[in-house]
Structures are given as C-alpha cells and as structure tokens.
Amino acid sequence: MRDELTHSSHWGGFTVRVRDGEIDAVQPLHDPDPSPLLGNLPGSLRHATRVARPVARRGWLERGPGPSRDRGSDSFVELSWDEALDRAAAELRRVIAEHGNSAIYGGSYGWASAGMFHQSQSQLHRFLNCIGGFTSHRNSYSIGASLVLLPHVLGSSAAVFRRATPWTVIAKHTDLLVAFGGLPLKNTFVAPGGMARHGLRGHLEAARKRGMRIAHFSPLRDDVVPEAEARWYPLVPLSDVAVMLGLAHVLVTEGLHDPVFLERYCEGGKQFIAYVLGERDGVAKTPEWAEQKSGIAANDLRLLARQMAASRTLVTVSYSLQRAQHGEQPLWAALSLAALLGQIGLPGGGFGHGYGSMGDLGSPSAPLPLPSLPEGRNAVRAFIPVARIADLLLRPGESFDYNGASHRYPDIRLVYWAGGNPFHHHQDLNRLRRALGRPDTVIVHEPYWTPMARHADLVFPATTSLERNDIGSGRADARIIAMKRAVAPVGGARNDHEILAGLAERLGARDAFTEGRDERAWLEHLYARIRELLADVGADAPDFDEFWSRGSLAVPDSESERVLFSAFRADPGHEPLKTPSGKIELFSETIARFRYDDCPGHAAWLESDEWLGSPRAARFPLALVANNPATRLHSQLDAGAYSQAAKVRGREPVRMHPSDAAARGISTGDVVRLWNDRGSCLAGAIVTDDVRPRVVQLSTGAWFDPDDSRAELATCVHGNPNVLTRDVGTSKLSQGCSGQHALVEVERLAADPPPVRAFEPPRIEKRKT
Ligand code: PGD
C-alpha cells in the first residue's frame, strides 16, 4: 500500500492529494473538530504570489547598499542563485568588517511554518551565530507583557502557559468561568508547531451540560461560541481593569474575600486592598466607579462578585488584553482578583491566562520538551524587546528602558528576515516603512510576495513546508506527524536551510552550520530525541522508518488531571514560587523599585491613550479592535479560498454597530475608510449588533496594499489595521506589542474604490546586458 501523504501545519494535521504539482484537496488527520483554515491550502503552491527566482531591488543593484526610500516601490531584477548568494555573502562580510556583527538585525520574528527542522528562525539564528552573531530580539508579539510580568509575580511564565489546568479539569470542576477577553474559538485552532486535535467545542459542551456558567467580558459578542450560552458583558474596550477592581471592591467590602489565602500564599495583599479601597489616592474602586469606565451596570458587577465568591470560579484573561498600552495591568489585576477569591491551586478554580488565545493552552497531553535545530551561541549581547523594531532602526544609539535596566539601540546596517511579515505584525506601518528605509541592506527569504518581501533589497524564494520533509508537533500536542514532501520545490525555490548553507559555504562556515548532515540525517537526529521522550511517557516509539511509514504517532493524555499551582497550595514551604517572597506577588517590591510611571508596584487602573475615555476620542470617536483573524493564520495564505470568501468587495471586513453605521450612512457591503492621524485604510462594512456601540472590529492579516507606495501617509486599500495602530511599548517594564487597539473615525467611501493589488507580484525585470 502507498504511504499516505501526511503533513502538518500550525492549524492541524492533514493528508494531501496532489494533482499537476498543486494541492488539489486536503483531508484532516484524526481531528474531531478540524480547522477551517485547511481551506486556504488548495491552490497555494503555484499561486501567482509565489516568489519564483532570487531577485535584487534595482536601486540596490545599481547604486549599491545604502539607506533608501525606494524600498517598497522599486522594481526587481532576476539573479541566478549563485550571483544572489555571492552578493548576500559579500554584503554580510562588508557589514561585519566595517560595523561589527551587532550591525546585523537577525531577530527575524514570525510564525513561519510548522516543522522542527525547517523552522526559519532557528535556521537563520544558527547561521548568524556561525558567522559571529547578531542583534537579537526578546519575547513575542503575542505575549510581550506577560513574558516579563509573570516571572516577577508568579516566578515563571512557563507554569502559566505550559502547566495550565487542562480543559478536562475545567469541564469537570469549574462552576463559573469569568473570561476577560472571551474564549474565541478561532484562536484555538492554532498553536505554534502544530495542533493535531481541536477540542474546545467539545469541552465547552461537556461543561455546559454539567451546569458551568460563563461570564464573558468583551466588546465582541462572538468571542464565545453561542452554544456555550455565556452571559455577555459588552464592556468598553480597555476597561477590563476597572471591572476587575470593581469586583474586588465588592469582595473586600462585603467580606467575601479569603484573608487566610492572602496571608499564606500572597505578598502584598494589604497594598492591593488599600488601593482598591482608595486609601492612598482617595478613589474607591467601587462598582459605580467601574460602571463609569466600562459601561457595565454596577449592580451586575455586584451580583457577579457574589456569585464568584459562592462558586468554584476560574478567572481567565486572554492574551489580547495584554497586547495594549499598560497591558501588564489586566493580567496582574485578574491574578489579584483570583487571589482574593482564594481558589488558586484548587481543581477548576483560580487563575488562567490564554484559554481561548492559543490552541495548546489547557491541553491534557504531556508537554514534551520537543527538540529543535540547535541555534548555537550568539556572541552579540545587544537585543531589543521584539516590538521595538522601528525604534531600533530609527533611533540608533538612543537608550530604552526594559525590565529594570537601560539599554542602547545599536546602529543596524543589515536587516535579515526569514519566516515573518512585519507588515502584518508591526504597528504604525507608515512609520515602519520609514524605518525600513534606513539600513543599508534588507534581505528576506519568502515563499510569497508579501509586503515584507516587496520592501527587501534581496529576496530569496523559499519553499513552503509542502516542498520538503520535516517532523511536526506543537508544545502539548496530541500527535507527532511525518510532514512528507508533497511536490518538488516550485519555481526556483530552495528551503531556508539550503539557502543559508550556500551562504555559510561562501563565508567559510558550512561545516559548522550543517554538521555534515543532510535533511534526512537531521530528521533522524531530531527523531532520536523524540523517540526517547515518547518512551518516557509510555508511548509507542518505533524507529524512524516505521514512524515515517505510519505517518503519525499519538501522544498520550497523561496530564488530564493536572491543576495549576496545586503543589504550591498543598505545601508553600516546600514548593515555593520562584518570586523573591516565594509567594504570589500582588505587590512587587522589585517592580516598585524600578519607579516606572507606567507600571507601579501593584495592579492599577492606568488609562490608555487609545481608549474611549481619552481626549483623543473627541477627534477619533470609535474604538478599533484589531484582533487576530478567523479566516487565516495572521497574514498567511490571505490569497487562499477560505480567507477570500470572507472579504467584502475584495477588502477585509470591518464590523460596526447599527447605531454607528446609521450615524454615518453606512450599510453592509459598503466600502468604508477608517482613519486617524497615523494613516488610513479601506475595508468592507458589515453592520451587526455582535459588536458593542462605538466599537469597530477589523482583524489583522490583510496584505498591506498602499495606494501610493511613495506617500508619507499611505492608505492601505485592502484593510490592514496596523496602519492605524500606535507603535508604542506596553510599558517601560516589558515594552510589549500594543497593537490590539486604536481610536479611529470611519466614513463611507463615496467614490469608486481603487483596485486591490496586494496579490499581484511587483515589477520584475530581466537583467540589462
Ligand atoms: P505571519 O503572517 O504568520 O505573521 O506575525 P507574523 O509575522 O508571525 O508571517 C509569517 C510569514 O512567514 C509569512 O509571510 C509566510 O509566508 C512566511 N513563511 C512561512 N513558512 C516559511 C518558510 O518555511 N520559510 C520562509 N522563509 N518563510 C516562511 C504574527 C504576530 O502579529 C503575532 S504572533 C501576534 S499575536 C500579533 N497580534 C496582533 C494583534 O492582535 N493586533 C495587531 N494590530 N497586530 C498584531 N500583530 C502581531
């Protein structure tokens, strides 16, 4: 029997049917609730947006390296592989010789594709480390604030993300799930590296049948699936902390909190309670005070707080809430609220972060420490918090605050990117365009002509995962999947490893980079470790050939009874947290000592410049929620059938409330313009009461498509919300991404909208002889 063509993606495992060198159909692999994102794969291998051959930007080729505002508008010239690699190697050599390795930014953030070996970032980092190192990045766009705050207040972020109480326990024990940011099903289809079994719908169904209630705080009704029958509290965006403090006020003033838990397990309960009662600032954080900020009735908050105290309650906060200015505060306030209830460490009670934000959070599978390509040691110490990329390029030599210390931005001459799309993930894209005009050279590996590829000087065509062999599995995945090559590399594409091996060869580092292994040898090497891990958890662990022929292996659900912080609760003396006090820090002496005006020593209400209560709202009266999309992963495969089916007149859909639409003469199907002082974009209107009044929702991921690629403030005609978002760190503490919110105005476009050209390749010329 012919082996099945198994494969995997960040949104699930599947088998592929190939016809004429193209994916014709995909079938989910052992998945009870497969992701609709699979619908973007057919037709994706030979789409017109594929980069066919190595190219150089004309201006860079003719005038040599140097700052240029032509990036993004210039044409490209085709090069042979040898010439492209020679030129890239020569430029790396020049930059290192003249400016040192810290002048290379190789942080290269992005989700790339599933697969442990061909992971673009580890490949690139390994290569750059082999040639002396590079300026790197820390943390992620997803959870930039959490990754810095959690170690201060809970001793580690890994516990919260890797050891979260699984959905199996929640379904059995939780009576009341208070979900700040909801539990959006769309996000749970995805996890980095793979997500072989999608189960949220099933768990919510089991919990509902048992009687679990959900209190859902979000400006968007459909952040919880309707079948879960959640009670929707449609709060003003960015007012969650006010609600949490209002609930805390009820618990404290009605004696419903747990002083014994605070004393035994927490540091700083007294300071937090004093703040809630307004003892220092004279502002008691009453439910009435919270109502003013959030629009949620004080009486509803009072009733909810009493229910929380009377039930087994889990307080959870989504990743999206911390992706905002002062994003540390909702996380810390939710933890403080859960601590007041005293249920942390009990089955189905306590605190969670990211249920509904990432598919693997709350997985009952064993969180195996899966191997990846070793990156080696980076000899350069300079780094940036990942979302400070535009500051890095625009402000060389200037200092920035981060987590209690002051650092300096190095002078970057060469930007090297593989497996990410900053024109998707970064904020204030007009500013990013200016920043990318500054370095001498920008090198990008991409399978597709994304906006980042268009802004490069040298573009290397990369394979997609379906053009190579790999092993796929996520962080707490239900399966290890053989990702089999379905077609030969399309056009002139090469995989990231081959491209970098070619460069390493030219720079005298090939052996260090490849260790003499080819793809097959690397896969066998990585699999040997996987086999040990599987054997340790008592799972079937055949040899490599047998695994490859079977196509996938199941990972057992060995952690379906796990409870976050149960060991700490049972014996805080012997199982202390890794915080300075060994306890949960509701007040952090360390953070207080940093004396940051935007992150005090305990959770606090700090107003965002981009919320409806700010003075800016007089000019831009609508709150934009720029959340992650439902019809693709980030910007990946935006040209795919499933993503395209959701567009309105070819633009990204923007949802708005009937009252706001009527006030502006807007109907469903209209093309509208969203704008503020940072830029504007067009989008296709959908009028619905699934969003609260004064809120518009436009997801990220539409490929940036400027009407005038040379304009200072370009309009994206396709609907990328990151032209509107503000490029500012969450706070001096963590400097995370704050892209989730922006204030905007919206109008109906009276004229005929310009065409969307995002999926047309740029001008590519043959070499002048
Ligand atoms: P992707 O679209 O996944 O976005 O940002 P990210 O940059 O990860 O980009 C991955 C790119 O890698 C794609 O262009 C794909 O074609 C390419 N690629 C795939 N496989 C390969 C390969 O094998 N080799 C090479 N060379 N390339 C490959 C995601 C980021 O956006 C994240 S994680 C979050 S959570 C943020 N969320 C928000 C938000 O909520 N709101 C706003 N406004 N902005 C955000 N940005 C962030």
Side-chain angles (χ1 to χ4, degrees):
M1 197 185 83
R2 187 175 167 274
D3 287 346
E4 261 189 328
L5 264 179
T6 51
H7 208 76
S8 187
S9 64
H10 298 303
W11 51 93
F14 54 94
T15 56
V16 192
R17 196 177 69 199
V18 175
R19 190 166 290 167
D20 298 331
E22 178 56 280
I23 304 174
D24 178 45
V26 293
Q27 281 297 323
L29 187 72
H30 307 291
D31 192 340
D33 190 8
S35 165
L37 302 191
L38 292 174
N40 283 328
L41 285 164
S44 60
L45 297 184
R46 290 172 190 277
H47 194 272
T49 51
R50 280 304 294 269
V51 182
R53 255 162 276 290
V55 295
R57 186 172 65 76
R58 177 164 288 289
W60 185 86
L61 202 58
E62 290 174 351
R63 290 184 290 282
S68 172
R69 290 303 308 269
D70 292 339
R71 290 193 181 105
S73 56
D74 218 348
S75 59
F76 289 92
V77 179
E78 272 187 17
L79 304 179
S80 69
W81 268 104
D82 273 343
E83 182 179 356
L85 290 168
D86 287 346
R87 284 181 180 274
E91 178 59 355
L92 282 160
R93 219 180 276 118
R94 180 192 74 84
V95 169
I96 293 169
E98 289 177 14
H99 307 282
N101 280 73
S102 66
I104 301 171
Y105 181 66
S108 181
Y109 179 80
W111 269 58
S113 294
M116 293 174 202
F117 173 58
H118 289 290
Q119 213 286 335
S120 311
Q121 271 82 38
S122 28
Q123 291 284 350
L124 179 59
H125 296 166
R126 179 180 171 87
F127 161 71
L128 292 172
N129 286 337
C130 287
I131 61 164
F134 62 99
T135 293
S136 59
H137 78 243
R138 290 201 186 156
N139 309 327
S140 72
Y141 273 77
S142 298
I143 43 174
S146 314
L147 287 172
V148 180
L149 179 73
L150 288 173
H152 286 293
V153 300
L154 284 171
S156 130
S157 56
V160 175
F161 298 127
R162 303 283 165 87
R163 318 232 35 104
T165 300
W167 279 108
T168 36
V169 172
I170 296 173
K172 236 190 271 170
H173 296 281
T174 307
D175 297 323
L176 177 58
L177 183 59
V178 183
F180 290 95
L183 305 163
L185 184 71
K186 64 179 174 69
N187 297 335
T188 65
F189 281 120
V190 171
M195 183 69 208
R197 177 186 52 197
H198 298 97
L200 178 60
R201 250 194 283 243
H203 294 305
L204 287 178
E205 173 64 9
R208 192 192 55 82
K209 281 204 183 124
R210 200 186 37 84
M212 184 182 87
R213 289 154 298 142
I214 301 177
H216 163 213
F217 286 89
S218 167
L220 312 177
R221 188 199 307 268
D222 44 12
D223 272 345
V224 180
V225 287
E227 310 89 89
E229 295 174 6
R231 160 111 194 237
W232 184 32
Y233 295 86
L235 84 174
V236 166
L238 291 167
S239 70
D240 298 77
V241 172
V243 166
M244 293 168 193
L245 294 173
L247 293 168
H249 192 274
V250 179
L251 295 180
V252 172
T253 53
E254 297 191 6
L256 301 174
H257 66 304
D258 185 341
V260 177
F261 184 88
L262 292 180
E263 185 57 37
R264 188 147 192 240
Y265 299 101
C266 301
E267 180 70 23
K270 285 199 181 74
Q271 285 98 321
F272 179 67
I273 289 176
Y275 174 71
V276 169
L277 298 177
E279 285 173 5
R280 285 246 182 98
D281 60 2
V283 181
K285 316 302 177 300
T286 62
E288 285 71 21
W289 170 87
E291 177 179 344
Q292 268 183 6
K293 312 278 180 210
S294 66
I296 304 299
N299 211 31
D300 287 346
L301 295 179
R302 225 169 240 118
L303 291 175
L304 178 63
R306 290 173 192 149
Q307 285 167 15
M308 288 166 77
S311 321
R312 179 59 55 89
T313 299
L314 179 64
V315 179
T316 171
V317 54
S318 65
Y319 290 178
S320 56
L321 263 60
Q322 53 82 64
R323 220 174 290 135
Q325 191 186 14
H326 311 310
E328 297 79 12
Q329 303 311 316
L331 184 56
W332 207 353
L335 174 66
S336 306
L337 179 62
L340 288 182
L341 290 170
Q343 299 183 23
I344 292 173
L346 295 179
F351 167 75
H353 177 33
Y355 292 105
S357 303
M358 196 61 85
D360 57 11
L361 200 122
S363 161
S365 301
L368 302 179
L370 293 170
S372 57
L373 181 73
E375 293 187 4
R377 210 187 124 264
N378 189 349
V380 173
R381 295 182 61 176
F383 74 95
I384 56 164
V386 67
R388 303 304 347 118
I389 173 72
D391 286 355
L392 166 72
L393 299 178
L394 291 168
R395 300 178 177 168
E398 285 187 29
S399 64
F400 64 94
D401 292 304
Y402 170 72
N403 202 11
S406 176
H407 306 267
R408 215 163 273 288
Y409 292 121
D411 188 0
I412 297 297
R413 299 303 175 118
L414 189 150
V415 170
Y416 204 136
W417 222 284
N421 179 10
F423 282 88
H424 158 65
H425 63 236
H426 198 60
Q427 286 55 67
D428 196 348
L429 295 182
N430 284 312
R431 181 168 189 258
L432 179 68
R433 289 164 65 225
R434 283 198 295 285
L436 277 172
R438 235 208 106 260
D440 294 347
T441 296
V442 178
I443 305 178
V444 170
H445 298 186
E446 248 300 334
Y448 296 99
W449 273 113
T450 62
M452 184 58 183
R454 286 169 190 265
H455 282 76
D457 299 315
L458 268 172
V459 184
F460 289 110
T463 52
T464 67
S465 69
L466 283 138
E467 295 149 61
R468 58 204 189 207
N469 294 304
D470 214 329
I471 303 172
S473 190
R475 292 179 296 204
D477 211 346
R479 247 164 220 285
I480 312 279
I481 298 178
M483 294 173 64
K484 299 179 185 173
R485 182 169 121 152
V487 301
V490 172
R494 294 186 183 175
N495 62 51
D496 295 301
H497 183 74
E498 269 179 274
I499 300 169
L500 296 166
L503 281 178
E505 169 137 22
R506 284 161 174 80
L507 295 166
R510 188 181 177 101
D511 288 349
F513 179 67
T514 65
E515 292 182 25
R517 294 192 180 97
D518 61 8
E519 181 187 74
R520 166 82 186 201
W522 273 110
L523 295 189
E524 287 188 12
H525 177 71
L526 294 172
Y527 182 75
R529 175 71 189 132
I530 295 173
R531 203 174 174 198
E532 284 170 12
L533 294 170
L534 287 173
D536 286 351
V537 291
D540 185 16
D543 65 22
F544 183 79
D545 288 338
E546 173 67 14
F547 156 63
W548 200 256
S549 139
R550 283 199 216 164
S552 76
L553 302 172
V555 179
D557 283 352
S558 53
E559 305 230 346
S560 55
E561 302 293 327
R562 184 180 66 218
V563 173
L564 178 64
F565 296 128
S566 56
F568 166 64
R569 184 176 186 109
D571 193 346
H574 280 98
E575 298 281 344
L577 301 182
K578 292 193 190 92
T579 54
S581 59
K583 298 180 177 183
I584 300 169
E585 302 230 338
L586 306 188
F587 178 85
S588 162
E589 190 65 51
T590 311
I591 295 179
R593 264 204 316 267
F594 297 159
R595 306 184 77 81
Y596 291 147
D597 50 357
D598 54 5
C599 191
H602 56 73
W605 165 251
L606 303 175
E607 295 189 357
S608 160
D609 297 331
E610 300 285 330
W611 89 294
L612 286 170
S614 97
R616 259 175 84 74
R619 286 164 69 205
F620 306 114
L622 299 174
L624 168 69
V625 177
N627 58 356
N628 279 314
T631 57
R632 60 193 164 253
L633 167 63
H634 307 308
S635 68
Q636 298 198 25
L637 305 178
D638 186 24
Y642 185 61
S643 181
Q644 286 300 306
K647 305 258 174 180
V648 176
R649 294 174 65 191
R651 334 262 146 178
E652 195 60 21
V654 59
R655 300 193 300 166
M656 64 194 303
H657 191 267
S659 58
D660 299 313
R664 291 163 178 80
I666 294 170
S667 310
T668 293
D670 286 344
V671 174
V672 296
R673 188 174 83 98
L674 291 80
W675 85 92
N676 62 22
D677 46 1
R678 295 182 281 266
S680 58
C681 68
L682 305 186
I686 294 180
V687 179
T688 170
D689 65 3
D690 282 346
V691 299
R692 90 183 292 289
R694 291 196 67 193
V695 167
V696 292
Q697 177 254 318
L698 174 65
S699 293
T700 58
W703 284 16
F704 177 63
D705 188 1
D707 58 341
D708 175 354
S709 53
R710 288 177 187 275
E712 203 46 32
L713 285 190
T715 297
C716 171
V717 302
H718 189 196
N720 185 325
N722 273 328
V723 278
L724 303 160
T725 52
R726 183 170 171 217
D727 184 6
V728 65
T730 48
S731 75
K732 295 188 187 87
L733 181 79
S734 55
Q735 299 282 10
C737 158
S738 60
Q740 184 82 183
H741 300 273
L743 290 173
V744 299
E745 179 53 291
V746 180
E747 67 181 1
R748 196 167 78 85
L749 198 73
D752 277 347
V756 173
R757 298 224 156 92
F759 305 120
E760 293 172 16
R763 256 178 315 130
I764 300 173
E765 299 160 19
K766 297 276 175 222
R767 191 69 179 277
K768 278 187 202 145
T769 45

